[in-house]
Amino acid sequence: MKLSQNYRELDARYYMPAFSRAIEIVRGKGAHVWDADGKEYIDCVAGIAVCSTGHCHPAVVEAICSQAQDLIHCSNLYYVPHQAELAEKVVEISGFKNGKAFFSNSGAEANEGALKLARLATGRKKFVSFTHSFHGRTLGSLAVTFKPNIREPFEPLEPACTFVEYGDLDALEKAVDADTAGVIVEAIQGEAGVIPAPDGFLEGIRDVCDRKGALMIVDEVQTGMGRTGKWFAFQHTKAVPDIVTIAKGIASGFPMGALVAREGLEFKKSEHGSTFAGGPLACAAARATIGVIEGLLPSIPEKSDRFARGLAAHNPRVHGLMIGFTLGERCPAVQAYCAEHSVLINCAADGNIRLVPPLVISDEEIDTAVGVINAALR
Ligand SMILES: *Cc1c(COP(=O)(O)O)cnc(C)c1O
């Protein structure tokens, strides 16, 4: 289908102005994308940590195209091709022995599922979340999302949620009570600007949850699927959650999310469902994606070090290929300079630059991107 030349006017006239954007990206290959004018960029945004295997990885394209020839949709009323195989793989990489998976179409929806499962399993109502957290835009996931300007216009929200300072275990101890179903936490806060949990924090949450009978939900929507050099960021710690939620990088850009729960935690008949979730195309794309990431995982520490060395002057927070540094008010100007010089980077919250490039990014592409970022900061 042909694209219109006057897309800016069409967008302004017909699409709700919920985003601010400047570039139309029309093509991608590996860590590169091209805009409507044919300009090429190194993409250190990757659809916000989504295009994990790079743009249009041949294995993912092949999996989607070949599944599309066979069956695009059939409903969860039937066994879905690739779904059980993918569930086995996702449970295996999560490390949950005898765990089970449930698929969704997005990160927010994966978190909704986790909140529902925690309520079912505990018979309790409330949740505890953390300052600067982001868990999604649906009403439930928004209720446990901190950022006041995106949450408050929609209040009152359910479930009731108490926000505790990220990193403060004493405050957590006080906040978790006999009606707390779960504590939801990002191992590294992504939207906040790549803010890692302090050492021992996840282990401390595990301990509080164990003593008080609440479930520990780790939101790995952004940090998961190899982004930090392990399948999941919690695997860098000694803490094992009850539920882990996944989305962004799981299917290379095909919409998909998942939750994985430890043994014994599961939705029984009719307790949860979805028309589209875990469909044949999504599952095929995710299986191919996981196969590609398996091969890439060993290369991530070295690429990570390369970014860390290149950006050392800016005190970067480097966790695999999830990189943040604080610039304050200069962020938008630096982002614009980099785009002008063919490198896409992203301003996350609070004056933080975030880089979440495709895991396939090469040494040469890293050096080029770092060079442009450093020039922007000079
Ligand atoms: C992006 C994100 C979400 C929301 O995912 P959607 O697919 O946009 O609903 C939830 N949690 C975290 C940590 C995220 O980064």
Side-chain angles (χ1 to χ4, degrees):
M1 251 174 281
K2 264 182 76 69
L3 294 173
S4 303
Q5 293 303 303
N6 62 337
Y7 58 89
R8 285 174 207 272
E9 292 99 273
L10 286 176
D11 182 88
R13 170 71 185 84
Y14 290 107
Y15 205 72
M16 297 192 187
F19 306 99
S20 59
R21 43 199 179 189
I23 302 170
E24 186 181 43
I25 294 173
V26 295
R27 194 159 65 84
K29 190 81 211 147
H32 292 255
V33 290
W34 287 262
D35 71 15
D37 301 322
K39 180 172 172 176
E40 181 175 351
Y41 303 82
I42 294 177
D43 184 7
C44 292
V45 181
I48 315 187
V50 166
C51 308
S52 48
T53 58
H55 294 277
C56 304
H57 191 287
V60 178
V61 171
E62 158 62 22
I64 293 171
C65 290
S66 101
Q67 184 55 45
Q69 307 270 3
D70 288 341
L71 185 70
I72 291 178
H73 180 74
C74 64
S75 164
N76 283 307
L77 294 171
Y78 308 96
Y79 289 108
V80 178
H82 300 291
Q83 195 182 75
E85 293 88 345
L86 177 64
E88 177 188 33
K89 195 70 200 174
V90 167
V91 170
E92 179 198 311
I93 63 176
S94 75
F96 289 6
K97 202 161 162 278
N98 300 320
K100 283 190 177 152
F102 196 91
F103 297 124
S104 65
N105 302 290
S106 68
E109 234 187 282
N111 286 330
E112 293 280 333
L115 301 177
K116 285 176 71 176
L117 189 55
R119 276 189 163 183
L120 275 179
T122 61
R124 301 173 176 190
K125 298 279 176 272
K126 301 186 305 186
F127 288 85
V128 175
S129 178
F130 296 96
T131 50
H132 308 292
S133 61
F134 183 82
H135 299 294
R137 303 269 192 169
T138 57
L139 289 171
S141 63
L142 193 58
V144 296
T145 288
F146 177 71
K147 213 177 182 189
N149 65 327
I150 70 169
R151 174 171 40 83
E152 283 172 357
F154 303 98
E155 289 181 338
L157 292 169
E158 268 284 311
C161 182
T162 307
F163 293 95
V164 164
E165 187 74 26
Y166 190 60
D168 188 344
L169 287 171
D170 293 333
L172 182 69
E173 180 81 37
K174 294 193 186 87
V176 177
D177 65 25
D179 198 29
T180 305
V183 176
I184 183 164
V185 64
E186 294 160 88
I188 302 165
Q189 294 187 320
E191 295 306 293
V194 190
I195 312 295
D199 281 348
F201 186 49
L202 293 188
E203 291 86 343
I205 295 173
R206 179 70 274 174
D207 174 56
V208 172
C209 287
D210 282 342
R211 282 187 289 104
K212 304 209 177 197
L215 298 190
M216 178 176 177
I217 303 164
V218 175
D219 177 343
E220 296 257 9
V221 166
Q222 191 160 155
T223 47
M225 302 313 295
R227 173 64 45 196
T228 67
K230 291 190 188 272
W231 283 110
F232 297 103
F234 78 80
Q235 293 166 339
H236 294 282
T237 75
K238 293 197 179 67
V240 179
D242 298 293
I243 304 172
V244 56
T245 57
I246 314 169
K248 292 194 164 84
I250 193 173
S252 300
F254 202 96
M256 170 164 241
L259 64 87
V260 187
R262 64 156 162 79
E263 183 171 11
L265 276 180
E266 58 190 32
F267 289 117
K268 299 281 195 310
K269 191 169 160 48
S270 305
E271 285 179 342
H272 199 36
S274 168
T275 298
F276 292 117
L281 288 178
C283 290
R287 287 186 75 191
T289 297
I290 291 175
V292 174
I293 294 175
E294 253 163 2
L296 292 169
L297 271 182
S299 72
I300 291 176
E302 230 177 278
K303 294 178 186 180
S304 180
D305 288 347
R306 205 170 182 94
F307 269 111
R309 284 195 305 274
L311 297 170
H314 322 299
N315 291 320
R317 302 176 290 276
V318 182
H319 302 270
L321 289 177
M322 187 168 181
I323 298 142
F325 49 95
T326 307
L327 293 180
E329 285 172 4
R330 281 191 301 163
C331 268
V334 168
Q335 177 184 296
Y337 176 97
C338 288
E340 194 183 316
H341 293 82
S342 297
V343 174
L344 299 182
I345 64 172
N346 170 251
C347 298
D350 305 327
N352 289 305
I353 291 287
R354 167 177 51 181
L355 310 178
V356 279
L359 308 182
V360 295
I361 193 168
S362 69
D363 287 353
E364 201 193 334
E365 288 158 348
I366 293 172
D367 293 347
T368 305
V370 161
V372 169
I373 294 166
N374 283 328
L377 290 168
R378 225 168 271 135

